[in-house]
């Protein structure tokens, strides 16, 4: 399980995913299908995310099923961005999807 903050065109979001890597092609496809073809991602240590989000983190995590691969933990960009310091986050990963995935 991984937790990450994604800096997207519409602002930061925090996700939980059961994919092994933030650059997993299936995860990238799911994100593109949700209108997020381009982003910068910062992995968040799971223990830190749980500490900051408390009961909400546990509720979202406990809601995962076998068919789930991606959950939004926080869609409030202002809160997500201010909840973590940059030095608490992993090395940024930049992903720029295919141009056909961009919606004008």
């Amino acid at each position: 399980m991984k937790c990450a903050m994604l800096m997207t065109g519409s602002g930061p979001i925090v996700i939980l995913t059961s994919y092994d890597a933030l650059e997993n092609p299936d995860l990238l496809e799911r994100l593109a299908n949700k209108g997020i073809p381009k982003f910068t991602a910062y992995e968040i240590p799971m223990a830190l995310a749980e500490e900051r989000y408390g009961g909400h983190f546990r509720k979202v995590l406990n809601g995962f099923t076998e068919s789930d691969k991606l959950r939004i933990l926080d869609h409030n960009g202002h809160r997500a961005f201010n909840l973590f310091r940059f030095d608490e986050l992993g090395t940024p990963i930049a992903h720029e999807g295919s141009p056909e995935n961009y919606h004008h």
Side-chain angles (χ1 to χ4, degrees):
M1 187 70 63
K2 293 201 176 286
C3 183
M5 181 183 306
L6 274 56
M7 305 298 186
T8 72
S10 60
I13 61 170
V14 177
I15 64 166
L16 288 174
T17 181
S18 59
Y19 286 107
D20 58 342
L22 297 176
E23 296 175 290
N24 181 296
D26 292 334
L27 175 59
L28 297 175
E29 182 178 348
R30 282 179 185 258
L31 289 168
N33 289 340
K34 293 184 178 297
I36 306 172
K38 180 179 181 178
F39 59 85
T40 303
Y42 298 82
E43 192 166 338
I44 300 170
M46 292 289 284
L48 182 61
E50 182 173 10
E51 174 189 313
R52 300 286 164 82
Y53 285 105
H56 177 68
F57 176 90
R58 289 184 289 279
K59 181 179 177 183
V60 172
L61 186 63
N62 290 338
F64 260 92
T65 65
E66 278 297 313
S67 62
D68 282 339
K69 295 287 186 180
L70 173 66
R71 286 276 177 108
I72 304 297
L73 179 60
D74 194 348
H75 57 80
N76 180 325
H78 185 264
R79 176 180 50 221
F81 191 75
N82 288 301
L83 204 54
F84 302 96
R85 295 187 328 265
F86 285 119
D87 65 357
E88 296 175 313
L89 305 174
T91 304
I93 297 167
H95 175 74
E96 190 157 7
S98 302
E100 65 267 11
N101 290 331
Y102 297 150
H103 302 286
H104 301 286

